[in-house]
Amino acid sequence: MTTVVRVRGLAFETTEEDLMTFFTGLPVTSALVVYDATGRASGDGFVTFADAEAAKSALGFNKQHLGRRYVEVFASTAEEMTSQANAAQAAAAAQETDAVIRMRGLPFDITTGQIVEFFDGYSVTDGNVTLGINADGKFAGQPNGEAWVQFASQDLATAAQSAKDGQSIGGRYVELFPSTAADRDSNSLKADSNRPKSWKGGKGGGAPFGGLPPMLHAGRGSGPVVGGSQAVKIRGLPFSVTEAEVAQFFAPEIPISPAQVTLTRGPDGRHNGTGFVTFASANQASRAVDLKNRQYLGSRYVELLQETGGGPAYGGLGGGPVVG
Protein backbone atom coordinates (compact mmCIF):
# COMPACT_ATOMS: atom_id res chain seq x y z
CA MET A 1 0.00 0.00 0.00
CA THR A 2 1.02 3.59 -0.58
CA THR A 3 2.37 5.93 2.08
CA VAL A 4 1.43 9.11 0.15
CA VAL A 5 -1.84 11.07 0.08
CA ARG A 6 -2.82 13.97 -2.15
CA VAL A 7 -4.61 16.99 -0.70
CA ARG A 8 -6.70 19.13 -3.04
CA GLY A 9 -8.38 22.50 -2.49
CA LEU A 10 -5.64 24.14 -0.43
CA ALA A 11 -5.80 27.87 0.15
CA PHE A 12 -3.04 29.60 -1.79
CA GLU A 13 -1.31 30.71 1.40
CA THR A 14 -1.07 27.16 2.82
CA THR A 15 2.48 26.12 3.75
CA GLU A 16 4.06 22.70 4.02
CA GLU A 17 4.13 23.14 7.79
CA ASP A 18 0.36 23.75 7.72
CA LEU A 19 -0.08 20.49 5.80
CA MET A 20 1.94 18.52 8.32
CA THR A 21 0.07 20.07 11.25
CA PHE A 22 -3.28 19.25 9.62
CA PHE A 23 -2.64 15.54 10.12
CA THR A 24 -2.02 15.87 13.86
CA GLY A 25 -1.66 12.51 15.54
CA LEU A 26 -0.32 10.73 12.47
CA PRO A 27 3.39 10.07 11.75
CA VAL A 28 4.08 12.53 8.92
CA THR A 29 7.56 12.37 7.38
CA SER A 30 7.29 15.12 4.75
CA ALA A 31 4.91 17.47 2.92
CA LEU A 32 4.98 19.16 -0.46
CA VAL A 33 2.93 22.14 -1.69
CA VAL A 34 2.76 22.17 -5.50
CA TYR A 35 3.38 25.52 -7.19
CA ASP A 36 2.56 26.47 -10.77
CA ALA A 37 4.94 28.00 -13.27
CA THR A 38 4.28 31.55 -12.00
CA GLY A 39 5.29 30.61 -8.46
CA ARG A 40 1.72 30.57 -7.13
CA ALA A 41 0.40 27.65 -5.10
CA SER A 42 -1.72 25.41 -7.32
CA GLY A 43 -4.10 24.33 -4.55
CA ASP A 44 -2.66 20.79 -4.43
CA GLY A 45 -0.25 19.20 -2.00
CA PHE A 46 1.19 15.81 -1.06
CA VAL A 47 1.93 14.32 2.34
CA THR A 48 4.12 11.28 2.99
CA PHE A 49 3.59 9.16 6.10
CA ALA A 50 5.83 6.75 7.98
CA ASP A 51 3.76 3.74 6.95
CA ALA A 52 0.81 2.68 4.81
CA GLU A 53 -1.50 2.33 7.80
CA ALA A 54 -1.00 5.99 8.70
CA ALA A 55 -1.66 7.02 5.09
CA LYS A 56 -4.89 5.02 5.17
CA SER A 57 -5.93 6.75 8.39
CA ALA A 58 -5.21 10.12 6.76
CA LEU A 59 -8.08 9.51 4.33
CA GLY A 60 -10.38 10.08 7.31
CA PHE A 61 -9.42 13.78 7.12
CA ASN A 62 -11.23 14.09 3.78
CA LYS A 63 -13.51 17.15 3.59
CA GLN A 64 -12.29 18.59 6.87
CA HIS A 65 -11.22 22.22 7.15
CA LEU A 66 -7.60 23.21 6.77
CA GLY A 67 -7.61 26.86 7.67
CA ARG A 68 -10.58 28.54 6.01
CA ARG A 69 -11.23 25.87 3.37
CA TYR A 70 -12.34 22.26 3.44
CA VAL A 71 -10.01 19.99 1.50
CA GLU A 72 -10.16 16.66 -0.26
CA VAL A 73 -7.77 13.90 0.73
CA PHE A 74 -7.23 10.80 -1.36
CA ALA A 75 -4.61 8.11 -1.89
CA SER A 76 -1.69 8.91 -4.16
CA THR A 77 1.77 7.57 -4.96
CA ALA A 78 5.35 8.75 -4.71
CA GLU A 79 5.47 8.65 -8.52
CA GLU A 80 2.53 11.05 -8.87
CA MET A 81 4.04 13.41 -6.31
CA THR A 82 7.36 13.45 -8.15
CA SER A 83 5.65 13.92 -11.50
CA GLN A 84 3.70 16.96 -10.24
CA ALA A 85 6.81 18.55 -8.74
CA ASN A 86 8.85 17.95 -11.90
CA ALA A 87 6.12 19.38 -14.15
CA ALA A 88 6.05 22.62 -12.14
CA GLN A 89 9.85 22.86 -12.28
CA ALA A 90 9.85 22.26 -16.04
CA ALA A 91 7.23 24.96 -16.59
CA ALA A 92 9.21 27.40 -14.48
CA ALA A 93 12.36 26.56 -16.45
CA ALA A 94 10.51 27.19 -19.73
CA GLN A 95 9.60 30.67 -18.53
CA GLU A 96 13.27 31.42 -17.98
CA THR A 97 13.97 30.86 -21.68
CA ASP A 98 10.80 31.94 -23.53
CA ALA A 99 11.00 35.64 -22.55
CA VAL A 100 7.20 36.01 -22.68
CA ILE A 101 5.13 38.26 -20.40
CA ARG A 102 1.37 37.88 -19.91
CA MET A 103 -0.65 41.05 -19.31
CA ARG A 104 -3.94 41.03 -17.42
CA GLY A 105 -6.52 43.77 -16.80
CA LEU A 106 -6.19 45.55 -20.16
CA PRO A 107 -8.99 47.74 -21.58
CA PHE A 108 -11.14 45.81 -24.04
CA ASP A 109 -10.31 48.28 -26.82
CA ILE A 110 -6.54 48.06 -26.35
CA THR A 111 -4.38 48.03 -29.49
CA THR A 112 -0.98 46.52 -30.11
CA GLY A 113 0.34 50.03 -30.69
CA GLN A 114 -0.61 51.07 -27.16
CA ILE A 115 1.16 48.04 -25.74
CA VAL A 116 4.27 48.79 -27.80
CA GLU A 117 4.21 52.35 -26.44
CA PHE A 118 3.71 51.01 -22.89
CA PHE A 119 6.92 49.00 -23.26
CA ASP A 120 8.89 51.84 -24.89
CA GLY A 121 12.58 51.21 -24.41
CA TYR A 122 12.25 47.41 -24.27
CA SER A 123 12.51 46.70 -28.03
CA VAL A 124 8.88 45.58 -28.46
CA THR A 125 7.17 45.83 -31.87
CA ASP A 126 3.60 45.15 -33.04
CA GLY A 127 4.66 41.69 -34.19
CA ASN A 128 5.72 40.79 -30.64
CA VAL A 129 2.22 41.34 -29.22
CA THR A 130 -0.62 38.79 -29.15
CA LEU A 131 -3.99 40.12 -27.97
CA GLY A 132 -6.18 37.68 -26.07
CA ILE A 133 -9.85 36.99 -26.80
CA ASN A 134 -12.47 34.84 -25.08
CA ALA A 135 -12.47 31.28 -26.37
CA ASP A 136 -16.01 30.38 -25.35
CA GLY A 137 -19.10 31.50 -23.47
CA LYS A 138 -21.27 34.55 -23.98
CA PHE A 139 -18.35 36.71 -25.11
CA ALA A 140 -16.61 34.15 -27.32
CA GLY A 141 -14.42 35.83 -29.90
CA GLN A 142 -14.33 39.16 -28.07
CA PRO A 143 -11.38 40.80 -26.27
CA ASN A 144 -10.68 39.34 -22.83
CA GLY A 145 -8.38 41.99 -21.38
CA GLU A 146 -5.20 39.92 -21.72
CA ALA A 147 -2.18 39.96 -24.00
CA TRP A 148 1.16 38.21 -24.43
CA VAL A 149 4.36 40.07 -25.24
CA GLN A 150 7.47 38.38 -26.63
CA PHE A 151 10.75 40.06 -25.67
CA ALA A 152 14.12 39.70 -27.35
CA SER A 153 15.70 38.22 -24.22
CA GLN A 154 14.78 36.97 -20.77
CA ASP A 155 16.72 39.87 -19.22
CA LEU A 156 14.51 42.37 -21.10
CA ALA A 157 11.36 40.50 -20.09
CA THR A 158 12.39 40.44 -16.42
CA ALA A 159 13.31 44.13 -16.47
CA ALA A 160 10.03 45.08 -18.17
CA GLN A 161 7.96 43.15 -15.65
CA SER A 162 9.79 44.70 -12.72
CA ALA A 163 9.39 48.24 -14.09
CA LYS A 164 5.86 48.07 -15.51
CA ASP A 165 3.85 45.72 -13.28
CA GLY A 166 0.98 47.60 -11.63
CA GLN A 167 1.16 50.63 -13.93
CA SER A 168 -1.72 52.04 -15.95
CA ILE A 169 -2.34 51.56 -19.66
CA GLY A 170 -5.34 52.93 -21.52
CA GLY A 171 -6.89 54.00 -18.22
CA ARG A 172 -6.60 50.65 -16.40
CA TYR A 173 -4.23 49.18 -13.87
CA VAL A 174 -2.56 46.07 -15.35
CA GLU A 175 -0.67 43.12 -13.94
CA LEU A 176 2.28 41.39 -15.59
CA PHE A 177 3.20 37.73 -15.13
CA PRO A 178 5.95 35.49 -16.51
CA SER A 179 4.48 33.22 -19.18
CA THR A 180 5.55 30.86 -21.95
CA ALA A 181 5.24 30.64 -25.71
CA ALA A 182 3.18 27.48 -25.20
CA ASP A 183 0.72 29.33 -22.95
CA ARG A 184 0.37 32.12 -25.52
CA ASP A 185 -0.04 29.77 -28.46
CA SER A 186 -2.50 27.52 -26.63
CA ASN A 187 -4.77 30.45 -25.78
CA SER A 188 -4.53 31.81 -29.33
CA LEU A 189 -5.54 28.47 -30.84
CA LYS A 190 -8.52 28.10 -28.53
CA ALA A 191 -9.71 31.61 -29.31
CA ASP A 192 -9.24 31.23 -33.08
CA SER A 193 -11.79 28.41 -33.20
CA ASN A 194 -14.50 30.74 -31.88
CA ARG A 195 -13.48 34.10 -33.34
CA PRO A 196 -16.16 35.85 -35.41
CA LYS A 197 -14.95 36.83 -38.88
CA SER A 198 -15.91 40.43 -38.18
CA TRP A 199 -13.42 40.69 -35.30
CA LYS A 200 -9.85 41.55 -36.27
CA GLY A 201 -8.12 41.04 -32.95
CA GLY A 202 -5.45 38.52 -31.99
CA LYS A 203 -1.84 38.86 -33.00
CA GLY A 204 -1.02 42.19 -34.57
CA GLY A 205 -4.58 43.54 -34.55
CA GLY A 206 -6.70 45.87 -32.49
CA ALA A 207 -10.25 45.43 -31.27
CA PRO A 208 -12.84 47.56 -33.06
CA PHE A 209 -15.72 49.14 -31.21
CA GLY A 210 -18.06 46.41 -32.41
CA GLY A 211 -15.89 43.77 -30.74
CA LEU A 212 -16.60 45.04 -27.26
CA PRO A 213 -19.06 43.17 -25.07
CA PRO A 214 -22.51 44.81 -25.49
CA MET A 215 -22.71 45.86 -21.86
CA LEU A 216 -19.60 48.00 -22.30
CA HIS A 217 -20.72 50.05 -25.29
CA ALA A 218 -22.34 52.67 -23.06
CA GLY A 219 -18.98 53.31 -21.41
CA ARG A 220 -17.23 54.38 -24.61
CA GLY A 221 -17.32 57.98 -25.67
CA SER A 222 -20.34 58.74 -23.51
CA GLY A 223 -19.00 62.04 -22.24
CA PRO A 224 -17.87 62.99 -18.74
CA VAL A 225 -18.26 60.56 -15.88
CA VAL A 226 -20.12 62.65 -13.32
CA GLY A 227 -19.89 62.12 -9.58
CA GLY A 228 -17.21 59.42 -9.57
CA SER A 229 -15.40 56.74 -11.49
CA GLN A 230 -16.45 53.63 -13.35
CA ALA A 231 -14.01 51.71 -11.12
CA VAL A 232 -14.89 50.08 -7.80
CA LYS A 233 -12.29 48.80 -5.37
CA ILE A 234 -13.15 45.62 -3.45
CA ARG A 235 -11.44 44.85 -0.15
CA GLY A 236 -11.58 41.70 1.95
CA LEU A 237 -11.84 39.16 -0.88
CA PRO A 238 -11.08 35.50 -0.14
CA PHE A 239 -7.51 34.76 -1.22
CA SER A 240 -8.74 31.93 -3.43
CA VAL A 241 -11.35 34.00 -5.28
CA THR A 242 -11.37 34.06 -9.10
CA GLU A 243 -12.39 36.75 -11.56
CA ALA A 244 -15.43 34.65 -12.51
CA GLU A 245 -16.56 34.43 -8.88
CA VAL A 246 -16.31 38.20 -8.48
CA ALA A 247 -18.36 38.68 -11.65
CA GLN A 248 -20.98 36.25 -10.36
CA PHE A 249 -21.14 38.20 -7.08
CA PHE A 250 -22.74 41.12 -8.94
CA ALA A 251 -25.25 38.95 -10.84
CA PRO A 252 -28.06 39.10 -11.71
CA GLU A 253 -28.55 42.76 -10.79
CA ILE A 254 -25.43 43.98 -12.59
CA PRO A 255 -24.15 41.48 -15.17
CA ILE A 256 -20.45 41.86 -15.88
CA SER A 257 -17.74 39.81 -17.56
CA PRO A 258 -14.78 38.30 -15.64
CA ALA A 259 -12.55 40.36 -17.93
CA GLN A 260 -13.83 43.50 -16.17
CA VAL A 261 -12.28 42.24 -12.91
CA THR A 262 -8.67 42.78 -11.89
CA LEU A 263 -7.37 40.91 -8.83
CA THR A 264 -4.28 42.46 -7.29
CA ARG A 265 -1.33 40.44 -6.02
CA GLY A 266 1.63 41.02 -3.77
CA PRO A 267 5.34 40.72 -4.70
CA ASP A 268 5.13 36.94 -4.18
CA GLY A 269 2.47 36.66 -6.89
CA ARG A 270 -0.30 35.68 -4.48
CA HIS A 271 -3.67 37.40 -4.42
CA ASN A 272 -3.76 39.93 -1.57
CA GLY A 273 -7.52 40.18 -0.98
CA THR A 274 -8.07 43.31 -3.05
CA GLY A 275 -9.50 43.77 -6.52
CA PHE A 276 -10.96 46.31 -8.94
CA VAL A 277 -14.02 46.13 -11.17
CA THR A 278 -14.55 48.48 -14.11
CA PHE A 279 -18.25 49.03 -14.80
CA ALA A 280 -19.93 50.39 -17.91
CA SER A 281 -20.67 53.73 -16.26
CA ALA A 282 -20.17 55.66 -13.04
CA ASN A 283 -23.88 55.23 -12.27
CA GLN A 284 -23.57 51.45 -12.58
CA ALA A 285 -20.52 51.51 -10.33
CA SER A 286 -22.44 53.53 -7.74
CA ARG A 287 -25.36 51.10 -7.89
CA ALA A 288 -22.99 48.18 -7.38
CA VAL A 289 -21.66 49.78 -4.20
CA ASP A 290 -25.18 50.42 -2.92
CA LEU A 291 -26.28 46.83 -3.57
CA LYS A 292 -23.21 44.84 -2.63
CA ASN A 293 -21.15 46.74 -0.06
CA ARG A 294 -20.62 44.61 3.06
CA GLN A 295 -22.28 41.59 1.48
CA TYR A 296 -20.74 38.13 1.69
CA LEU A 297 -18.65 36.78 -1.17
CA GLY A 298 -17.95 33.19 -0.23
CA SER A 299 -17.04 33.06 3.45
CA ARG A 300 -16.11 36.74 3.79
CA TYR A 301 -17.99 40.00 3.66
CA VAL A 302 -16.38 42.54 1.39
CA GLU A 303 -16.15 46.32 1.25
CA LEU A 304 -16.76 48.23 -1.97
CA LEU A 305 -15.33 51.69 -2.56
CA GLN A 306 -16.03 53.71 -5.70
CA GLU A 307 -12.86 55.29 -7.03
CA THR A 308 -12.91 59.08 -7.37
CA GLY A 309 -10.38 59.53 -10.13
CA GLY A 310 -6.74 58.65 -10.60
CA GLY A 311 -7.30 55.07 -9.47
CA PRO A 312 -6.25 51.89 -11.24
CA ALA A 313 -9.22 51.93 -13.59
CA TYR A 314 -9.55 55.69 -14.03
CA GLY A 315 -11.88 56.59 -16.84
CA GLY A 316 -12.96 52.99 -17.55
CA LEU A 317 -13.15 52.37 -21.29
CA GLY A 318 -12.53 55.89 -22.39
CA GLY A 319 -15.80 57.38 -21.17
CA GLY A 320 -14.29 60.80 -20.68
CA PRO A 321 -12.82 62.63 -17.73
CA VAL A 322 -13.97 62.08 -14.19
CA VAL A 323 -15.86 65.08 -12.85
CA GLY A 324 -16.33 65.83 -9.16
Side-chain angles (χ1 to χ4, degrees):
M1 292 179 62
T2 181
T3 60
V4 178
V5 300
R6 184 171 183 170
V7 186
R8 178 178 295 164
L10 298 173
F12 293 131
E13 67 270 18
T14 301
T15 66
E16 288 165 352
E17 183 178 356
D18 293 333
L19 262 181
M20 296 176 75
T21 303
F22 177 63
F23 293 102
T24 299
L26 297 179
V28 176
T29 60
S30 65
L32 171 71
V33 172
V34 179
Y35 293 88
D36 64 21
T38 67
R40 297 180 61 203
S42 68
D44 280 7
F46 293 86
V47 180
T48 304
F49 295 87
D51 53 60
E53 191 61 34
K56 183 178 179 180
S57 297
L59 301 180
F61 287 74
N62 186 43
K63 296 193 176 180
Q64 291 193 25
H65 276 79
L66 196 172
R68 57 191 174 80
R69 300 188 64 179
Y70 85 84
V71 296
E72 297 176 280
V73 181
F74 45 94
S76 184
T77 64
E79 290 76 16
E80 182 185 26
M81 177 175 64
T82 302
S83 175
Q84 289 284 319
N86 288 344
Q89 290 174 356
Q95 289 184 346
E96 292 299 317
T97 58
D98 282 357
V100 174
I101 292 294
R102 185 170 184 167
M103 308 180 72
R104 183 180 297 164
L106 294 166
F108 295 108
D109 58 349
I110 194 72
T111 66
T112 56
Q114 287 174 294
I115 292 176
V116 169
E117 184 178 354
F118 180 72
F119 287 112
D120 183 40
Y122 294 92
S123 303
V124 173
T125 66
D126 284 322
N128 300 134
V129 179
T130 301
L131 298 178
I133 60 175
N134 291 305
D136 49 34
K138 183 177 180 180
F139 301 114
Q142 297 176 355
N144 68 359
E146 294 189 328
W148 287 261
V149 182
Q150 176 74 61
F151 291 85
S153 68
Q154 184 59 45
D155 287 344
L156 275 175
T158 301
Q161 181 187 2
S162 177
K164 294 293 188 176
D165 185 38
Q167 292 195 17
S168 177
I169 178 173
R172 290 197 65 176
Y173 163 99
V174 294
E175 296 178 286
L176 308 181
F177 303 93
S179 186
T180 64
D183 178 48
R184 175 197 64 204
D185 296 343
S186 172
N187 279 275
S188 296
L189 287 172
K190 289 177 184 177
D192 281 342
S193 65
N194 289 293
R195 181 185 298 175
K197 293 181 180 179
S198 61
W199 192 78
K200 304 297 183 183
K203 190 166 185 175
F209 175 72
L212 289 170
M215 69 180 67
L216 298 181
H217 289 176
R220 270 184 67 91
S222 56
V225 177
V226 181
S229 167
Q230 292 166 248
V232 169
K233 182 176 183 179
I234 310 179
R235 297 192 305 204
L237 291 166
F239 293 114
S240 59
V241 77
T242 65
E243 288 87 349
E245 288 171 332
V246 174
Q248 183 60 37
F249 173 66
F250 291 99
E253 296 94 341
I254 307 175
I256 63 170
S257 162
Q260 292 169 250
V261 180
T262 299
L263 299 178
T264 61
R265 292 174 172 81
D268 61 357
R270 298 183 182 182
H271 174 42
N272 62 10
T274 302
F276 294 87
V277 180
T278 302
F279 292 92
S281 67
N283 287 340
Q284 190 181 73
S286 179
R287 182 166 178 256
V289 173
D290 290 341
L291 289 173
K292 296 295 185 177
N293 187 37
R294 296 186 179 273
Q295 298 292 312
Y296 274 85
L297 197 169
S299 60
R300 302 185 64 177
Y301 84 85
V302 295
E303 294 180 289
L304 274 62
L305 304 168
Q306 187 172 8
E307 296 291 294
T308 57
Y314 167 76
L317 291 167
V322 174
V323 179

